[in-house]
């Protein structure tokens, strides 16, 4: 893992440079609450041979390096931290890919103008949107635990050591169909590190204090004219499937792809299919060569 010092503290990141002297494009992947870079491992495996894949470990509860105690950890500040990350690494012509809370951060950047010299395209993958914030039973449960002290929060999260608890709908049971081994890894920093528990409680409290965050952002998304791919789990039980359609209709240059046999965390449940859709989005002419009239699967 690499590390970069930002205004809020040190941020780790994975950087797969891609094959050849000049990879086709750069993708920056954003994960959700209580997740780390491993959410995107299988997708990056598929894309890295021809694209540079950069995956920051955002301070959302599964990070391994604590932030500065006075760091602003509100959603808007975390979106600004992503923008700072792009600036410090001087990443340009980026495809920003966000799932779960990562999609929320991407929408905040899109609503704010999204650094046109940095962000060329966006992929929103089953994520918080509109009034679904906190998202579903899982999000509401997490926000309630954020009212606890860091010590009590840590005690509450110890229950997640048990697989039957992790698989409950109020935990990760409605987020992923088949990714429990990865989920268990995500929870270790909270189980063992007081500074990570402190950061996570602060993140949850700051998010709960801004309930209209995405409703406000949605009012500005129509101004984002860069290409956007919206990928949604058709059977999503946390992020309403109709929100995928609404986002695709709201954004000026967007299309929707729906994916079967997956919950919210499509990068865990259907990584190969997701990578294929991202590859098609990045170079549609190459993917559809020989049949320019071939429709994209599941496109309305």
């Amino acid at each position: 893992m690499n590390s970069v010092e930002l205004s809020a503290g040190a941020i780790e990141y994975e950087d797969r440079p891609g094959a050849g002297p000049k990879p086709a494009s750069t993708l920056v992947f954003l994960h959700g609450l209580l997740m780390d870079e491993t959410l995107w491992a299988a997708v990056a495996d598929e894309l890295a041979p021809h694209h540079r894949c950069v995956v920051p470990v955002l301070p959302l509860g599964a990070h391994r390096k604590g932030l500065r105690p006075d760091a602003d950890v509100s959603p808007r500040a975390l979106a600004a931290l992503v923008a700072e990350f792009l600036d410090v690494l001087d990443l340009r012509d980026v495809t920003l890919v966000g799932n779960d809370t990562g999609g929320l951060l991407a929408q905040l950047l899109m609503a704010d103008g999204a650094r046109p010299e940095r962000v060329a395209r966006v992929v929103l993958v089953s994520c918080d949107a509109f009034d679904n914030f906190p998202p579903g039973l899982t999000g509401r449960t997490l926000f309630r635990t954020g009212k606890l002290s860091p010590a009590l929060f840590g005690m509450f999260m110890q229950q997640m050591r048990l697989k039957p608890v992790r698989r409950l709908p109020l935990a990760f049971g409605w987020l992923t169909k088949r990714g429990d081994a990865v989920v268990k890894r995500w929870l270790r920093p909270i189980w063992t590190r007081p500074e990570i528990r402190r950061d996570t409680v602060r993140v949850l409290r700051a998010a709960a204090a801004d309930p209209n965050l995405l409703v406000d952002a949605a009012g500005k998304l129509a101004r984002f004219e860069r290409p956007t791919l919206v990928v949604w789990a058709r059977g999503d039980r946390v992020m309403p499937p109709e929100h995928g359609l609404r986002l695709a209709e709201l954004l000026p240059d967007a299309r929707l792809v729906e994916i079967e046999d997956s919950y919210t965390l499509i990068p865990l449940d259907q990584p190969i299919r997701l990578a294929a859709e991202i590859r098609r989005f990045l170079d549609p002419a190459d993917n559809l060569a020989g049949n320019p009239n071939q429709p994209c699967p599941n496109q309305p």
Side-chain angles (χ1 to χ4, degrees):
M1 295 292 290
N2 301 288
S3 182
V4 61
E5 195 70 30
L6 302 181
S7 57
I11 299 295
E12 292 183 303
Y13 66 98
E14 185 180 59
D15 190 349
R16 304 191 193 190
K22 187 177 181 181
S25 61
T26 298
L27 297 101
V28 175
F29 297 91
L30 308 179
H31 60 75
L33 273 168
L34 305 187
M35 303 172 200
D36 67 15
E37 78 284 358
T38 56
L39 171 71
W40 294 105
V43 176
D45 285 345
E46 292 292 314
L47 295 172
H50 300 291
H51 302 277
R52 182 182 181 186
C53 294
V54 181
V55 195
V57 183
L58 302 173
L60 292 172
H63 53 300
R64 280 89 64 179
K65 294 188 175 185
L67 296 178
R68 296 190 177 95
D70 61 346
D72 186 348
V73 291
S74 66
R76 299 176 196 276
L78 292 175
L81 194 68
V82 172
E84 183 183 352
F85 177 81
L86 300 179
D87 288 341
V88 172
L89 269 63
D90 194 23
L91 299 175
R92 299 174 182 272
D93 195 34
V94 160
T95 299
L96 196 64
V97 187
N99 178 218
D100 193 77
T101 318
L104 175 154
L105 298 178
Q107 288 174 69
L108 293 180
L109 284 171
M110 294 162 75
D112 193 41
R115 292 288 206 283
E117 75 282 10
R118 304 282 181 200
V119 179
R121 294 161 297 275
V122 175
V123 181
L124 298 175
V125 183
S126 276
C127 57
D128 312 48
F130 304 108
D131 59 350
N132 188 36
F133 181 72
L137 179 61
T138 305
R140 292 193 296 272
T141 301
L142 263 180
F143 275 34
R144 290 190 187 104
T145 63
K147 297 178 181 179
L148 301 172
S149 68
L152 289 175
F153 175 76
M155 292 175 62
F156 177 86
M157 295 300 291
Q158 293 296 327
Q159 301 172 85
M160 299 287 182
R161 291 181 181 272
L162 302 174
K163 183 175 180 178
V165 178
R166 293 195 300 273
R167 299 305 302 153
L168 290 173
L170 57 78
F172 287 86
W174 282 357
L175 286 175
T176 176
K177 290 188 171 187
R178 48 185 70 91
D180 182 68
V182 178
V183 168
K184 186 176 180 180
R185 168 200 162 106
W186 293 341
L187 295 168
R188 287 174 186 156
I190 281 177
W191 291 338
T192 59
R193 306 276 295 278
E195 70 273 24
I196 304 304
R197 293 193 287 270
R198 176 205 66 199
D199 289 348
T200 307
V201 166
R202 294 183 64 231
V203 166
L204 291 170
R205 291 178 181 177
D210 198 356
N212 294 318
L213 178 72
L214 288 175
V215 174
D216 296 342
K220 303 174 183 177
L221 289 181
R223 302 187 308 215
F224 185 82
E225 297 181 344
R226 277 155 273 170
T228 306
L229 175 66
V230 181
V231 184
W232 224 264
R234 184 166 288 178
D236 206 315
R237 306 179 76 172
V238 176
M239 311 297 180
E242 59 267 25
H243 282 183
L245 179 59
R246 285 179 63 187
L247 283 169
E249 290 176 340
L250 177 62
L251 291 158
D253 185 5
R255 67 176 178 88
L256 171 68
V257 170
E258 294 181 321
I259 290 183
E260 300 279 4
D261 191 25
S262 179
Y263 286 160
T264 301
L265 302 185
I266 300 174
L268 293 186
D269 288 346
Q270 293 289 349
I272 294 175
R273 173 69 193 281
L274 176 57
E277 294 297 346
I278 293 173
R279 192 181 298 114
R280 183 193 300 270
F281 173 61
L282 293 176
D283 194 356
D286 180 62
N287 280 278
L288 300 178
N291 186 4
N293 297 316
Q294 178 183 345
C296 295
N298 297 321
Q299 182 177 354

